[in-house]
Amino acid sequence: MESTAKVWYLIQCKSRQEERAEENLVRQGYSCFRPQYLRERVAQGKRSVVRESLFPGYLFIHLDDQDNWGPLRSTRGVLWVVAFGNQPLAVADALIEQLRLQEAQAGEIELQLVSGQAVQIVEGPFADLQAIYLRMDGDERVVLLLNLLHRQHQFSLPLRGIGKL
């Protein structure tokens, strides 16, 4: 008796084409999962939140032995199914569920900051201190005003190291 339980596999996509590969696979009736996260970017002086792949160049596909694996090789954007010793590598369901849970928890949390806004430092040597957001410093850093030793100091920290109060 053959096993027909669906299993998750990892697909490597062509460079910067994981979204195209996912779209084409879903159009063919396959079930896919491409974990994503929200990231704040500054482009042309404007801040925006964009959704990016957590694993650039890869996506997960849910298949069983009865599914037709042939079209995978010729799907636009797909390079191949990740394998070891010519055997496709199965990915644990628990890992996929963990990724889905983390993606859902991140949800639509957008870090829209306004100059003068109070923020909480969440990582690094100043973790758990409050500061004032001043401005962006490139794509992934912020300049904060921190009150230390009865003086105000400006610090540049990674954007991921702060959170809203």
Side-chain angles (χ1 to χ4, degrees):
M1 188 163 127
E2 290 185 34
S3 170
T4 58
K6 288 203 177 251
V7 178
W8 287 100
Y9 295 97
L10 185 62
I11 289 185
Q12 185 173 9
C13 303
K14 293 179 181 173
S15 181
R16 294 181 230 174
Q17 292 189 27
E18 59 269 5
E19 189 173 343
R20 171 188 268 178
E22 179 183 30
E23 181 181 312
N24 289 320
L25 288 167
V26 168
R27 192 177 296 139
Q28 294 175 51
Y30 293 104
S31 176
C32 297
F33 174 54
R34 183 171 52 97
Q36 299 175 16
Y37 70 101
L38 294 175
R39 177 173 168 222
E40 190 165 356
R41 298 186 107 181
V42 177
Q44 299 176 351
K46 294 185 181 180
R47 223 171 320 139
S48 65
V49 177
V50 295
R51 188 172 289 277
E52 292 186 354
S53 290
L54 184 60
F55 306 112
Y58 294 92
L59 62 88
F60 298 97
I61 189 166
H62 208 204
L63 298 169
D64 65 22
D65 294 337
Q66 304 301 318
D67 286 324
N68 185 3
W69 291 48
L72 295 178
R73 289 180 300 220
S74 61
T75 299
R76 290 185 70 149
V78 172
L79 275 177
W80 51 65
V81 176
V82 175
F84 289 101
N86 290 332
Q87 288 290 84
L89 177 67
V91 176
D93 287 339
L95 175 63
I96 300 298
E97 288 308 312
Q98 180 77 26
L99 289 170
R100 285 184 192 254
L101 182 63
Q102 286 179 346
E103 186 178 52
Q105 287 175 345
E108 296 297 323
I109 297 171
E110 295 185 14
L111 193 59
Q112 297 291 331
L113 298 170
V114 178
S115 185
Q117 178 179 356
V119 295
Q120 179 87 22
I121 300 173
V122 295
E123 61 182 47
F126 301 111
D128 300 326
L129 293 179
Q130 292 183 12
I132 304 295
Y133 168 79
L134 293 178
R135 65 182 182 279
M136 291 298 295
D137 184 20
D139 282 349
E140 299 182 21
R141 295 188 69 79
V142 293
V143 176
L144 302 177
L145 192 59
L146 189 61
N147 199 5
L148 285 175
L149 303 171
H150 305 291
R151 293 190 61 202
Q152 291 184 335
H153 302 275
Q154 285 189 13
F155 289 94
S156 178
L157 298 172
L159 179 62
R160 71 178 183 284
I162 65 168
K164 286 187 176 180
L165 286 176

